[in-house]
Amino acid sequence: MDNTNTSLPVQWQPLAKVLDGELHTDDVMRTLYATDASAYREMPAAVAVPRSSQDIKHLISFARQQKLSLIPRAAGTSLAGQVVGNGIVVDVSQHLTQILEINAEEKWVRVQPGVIRDDLNHVLEPYGLFFGPETSTANRAMIGGMVGNNSCGTHSVVYGSAREHTLEIKGLLADGSEVVFNALNAQQYQQKIAESEKNTFEGKIYRQIDQLLASETHQKEIRENFPKRAIPRRNTGYALDMLLDLEPFTPTGEPFNFCKLLCGSEGTLMFMTEIKLHLDPLPPKETGLVCAHFNTIDDALKANIIALQYGPSASELMDHYILECTKANIEHRQNRFFVKGDPEAILIVEFNKDTREAIAEVAQQMQQAMEQEGLGYHFPVVYGDDTRKVWNLRKAGLGLLSNIVGDAKPAPVIEDTAVTIEDLPAYIQDFNEILSQNNMSAVHYAHAGSGELHLRPIINLKTEQGQKEFRLIAEEIATLVKKYQGSLSGEHGDGRLRGEFIEQMVGKKGYELMKEVKQIFDPEHIFNPNKIVETPPMDTFLRYDAGQDTPAFDTVLDFSSTQGILRGAEMCNGSGDCRKTEISGGTMCPSYMATRSEKDTTRARANILREYLTRSDKPNRFDHEEIKEVMDLCLSCKGCKSECPSNVDMAKMKAEFLQQYYDANGVPFRTKLIANFTRLNKLAAKMPWAYNWAFTNPVTSKLSKKMSGFAAERSIPKLHKTTLRKWYKKHYTAIAPKGATKKVFLFCDEFTDFNDTDVGIVTVKLLAKLGYEVVIPEHLESSRTYLSKGLLRKAKTIAEKNIALLQGVVSDETPLLGIEPSAILTFRDEYIDLVRGNTQEEARKLAKNALTMEEFLAREIDRGNIKANSFTEDKKILKLHGHCQQKALSSLTPSKKMLSLPKNYEVHLIRSGCCGMAGSFGYEQEHYKVSMQIGELVLFPTVRQQPQEVIIVAAGTSCRHQIKDGTQRRALHPVEVWWDALKK
């Protein structure tokens, strides 16, 4: 395919011409790939997104000609800078994502490197099989990266690492030749060596590695100086010790297989294109977690030794730092249900058995053994769906640690050391003593059952002192690890972070052997150079410069909770939670789910903001087309506000960016049109028939949409023949309940007032029928349209007026109820950030009593004020799609509760994220296609599958409109469902 792009620099055009995939040399894409989840930053020469192994062949050829390097990258969640460098970053995550073959009988699967671990297991589940290694990033970590790092994860005490599961690797060598590495018996091994006579590159590799390992001197050096063999997680350098355990070097060993070496080689020896993995049977259905509480970390680690005697499938540690972080996270507060008091540490011990009784028995035995040693004080056992909440809490550790406000953060520098389980308590005591001597403290979490804890000292890497501490602590802990003959890396890899210390870990001769391995496989240093061996100093190419300024900005929204918008962007540590797919569920990030492009992740948006707000030389640092380009597909869904472990609120940052950008460049016409939705509708409502005709007549509709910048394929919401306010004034007195003792205020939002008037009318009738006095108080529009388009100063004026009008009216006894979630939830979210001083305090008070209809009705059910006998007993099935902001700022639990109140109503949540409409986003011509792609991920197919008698439910006006356009099905607001079900 001829992809010649004349905008590319001349030297890149020959490569672009032969690639089927994409090639990017622009500053935006290079910036987005300059970092991963580590502390490092280095601008790559280019970014390539291959579609095939042929593309990779072309890349290897070009790299050899141009003396460039290739840096394989999957999800980009590396913690040691493995995918940061100045070569061509080759992103396999977008197109090389196929599951190629499943052999259930022989229990293996063959995949491309961009297949996501959790998505793979979703496909394998019907076969009764799964891939065991499980990183905390498993819902976005890809098999290529897991093999490259030799990932292990929570259940490694049972399932080991990627190395134990990798049967075969197909790919390309440094000369561009194809190769397949797999298990070889003695005869096959000798044949491979003999092939070196044919002068093949593969044959040379076998012959030279054979010579290297056959040396008795080399064998002695490796066996005496590499980490202890009893450490299951040993990932220090190249796994020459693992190769020595195989035939012919160990006669009783397994057949020789270069996969043992390639696992953990971080893409430095070849480019993998296919991977064949061993699979395990699914574990027993019943899982129980003993969440043992301890007063000290030392007690927890001693208890860990006891726990492992009872055959658990996992034993994981969380310390009080992690637990404290979870208190402030919206999603994880509800996951703390099992925590009692403030333990210094919790050990999560998992058992898989056929019955709960069997789990309870072994849990009791383990508890008694710990108590006999005076260890632990609370031992709750968690079963069923609640186990997922516990693991989500543990897995969120990496992101949650970044929630510490300010520049000092838990640094990924010594977070991956591993020792034997027996050495772990003493090692941690020595470790903490070193920290204490340096006036530092660390977070302790992760894989106690495998002798590895992810230990992170809190360091300010923006300062010269912080960068000195970064190196100092790395040096001292490396010496400590060597004392215990441990491994400096357990599963996160060496990269450029730990490569400098490998010589200290394995000795000078052992390190020279590793350099020789690199030279044998990659003599021209094409594949990911300067990782593992010959790395630059570990305190160079850091994300932050020593002594760099962190500028403050005069923002409309209040960013004081993160000490400014820039530090808010810096909260993103690159862990890539925003790269999960629709298969994993959740809302964040809808545009990425549709495009699978790194550019469309929350991480990318945070990176671009950080880059330009830090390094721009413009007077207005927001005035950059580059930021605007990356922000373009952010739907402002708020998914990241609750689902990102670091609580990165990109919708808030995008709104602020837009306001600042418009200050420099003016406000576009369409933006003004959408923002002034209410004002325009007030005018159009005088003659709604004329407006509706203009947007439904084929000729005028096409012209109107074109002039407005709206997609021709999109239908435009019609105006109702009246407004809700007019209807209320005319009809409410006639339907008002007599002698009502309960009173509510109804927020008449701009969408319900003009377009969804029928829903508003039903709401008033429903509340009146249930005995509530309904008052529409004096107030302005919600300002949602201004907020969504970034016109924050106008939104601020409206917020201040609404707070003044409602602050003395709304209370717990007389709450403010909202029909449209995006409107009522402004009181709980943006209003608080738009105002300052005493008004902000009033806004917080108001927010407590601003409720969605579902929240209010569920509360009234709990209080016994609304009962099931008021509703029909007819049987109905309902499919509920949740509004994004409702999921982020509230919950779907009230919705499910109130919809389930009618005796025979069965409510199922649709596992959809964002519907794709997102206010005006789905109407806009350039966004229509992505909007519909998002809808097609889960929502549209699910709705289409439902029989006509199934009720589709959606609270959001945009959601209902998207469902109508995408499926031709009418979705009901929850209050409409109740009104239809109410005995009248």
Side-chain angles (χ1 to χ4, degrees), residues 6 147 239 325 367 455 539 640 670 790 815 866 962:
T6 55
V147 169
C325 286
Q367 177 180 339
L455 305 152
D539 53 350
C640 48
R670 188 180 65 188
I866 304 176
Q962 177 80 326

Side-chain angles (χ1 to χ4, degrees), residues 348-401:
I348 306 167
V349 185
E350 180 185 83
F351 293 102
N352 289 319
K353 303 287 183 184
D354 292 326
T355 65
R356 288 194 180 184
E357 290 74 18
I359 293 172
E361 182 179 352
V362 71
Q364 182 62 31
Q365 291 171 359
M366 184 187 72
Q367 177 180 339
Q368 289 174 352
M370 290 181 182
E371 289 177 333
Q372 285 174 4
E373 298 297 321
L375 302 172
Y377 68 86
H378 183 52
F379 299 85
V381 184
V382 176
Y383 297 102
D385 289 342
D386 284 341
T387 61
R388 179 179 50 82
K389 296 178 184 177
V390 176
W391 284 132
N392 284 346
L393 195 72
R394 211 299 283 155
K395 288 181 179 181
L398 172 61
L400 289 169
L401 293 175

Side-chain angles (χ1 to χ4, degrees), residues 116-137:
I116 294 172
R117 186 268 185 190
D118 279 3
D119 291 4
L120 171 63
N121 281 347
H122 179 80
V123 173
L124 292 172
E125 188 175 4
Y127 297 89
L129 299 169
F130 83 124
F131 176 59
E134 176 190 19
T135 63
S136 63
T137 57

Side-chain angles (χ1 to χ4, degrees), residues 703-737:
L703 181 62
S704 299
K705 290 174 185 176
K706 186 174 182 180
M707 291 174 60
S708 305
F710 294 146
E713 306 92 326
R714 178 68 74 184
S715 69
I716 302 297
K718 293 180 182 179
L719 286 175
H720 197 273
K721 61 184 179 182
T722 186
T723 68
L724 179 58
R725 290 179 187 272
K726 288 178 181 176
W727 180 91
Y728 176 85
K729 289 178 182 177
K730 185 175 181 180
H731 298 285
Y732 179 69
T733 303
I735 65 168

Side-chain angles (χ1 to χ4, degrees), residues 736-756:
K738 307 302 179 186
T741 59
K742 294 168 289 185
K743 178 179 177 180
V744 295
F745 291 105
L746 181 65
F747 185 76
C748 182
D749 68 82
E750 52 269 40
F751 312 104
T752 307
D753 197 16
F754 296 105
N755 305 104
D756 294 328

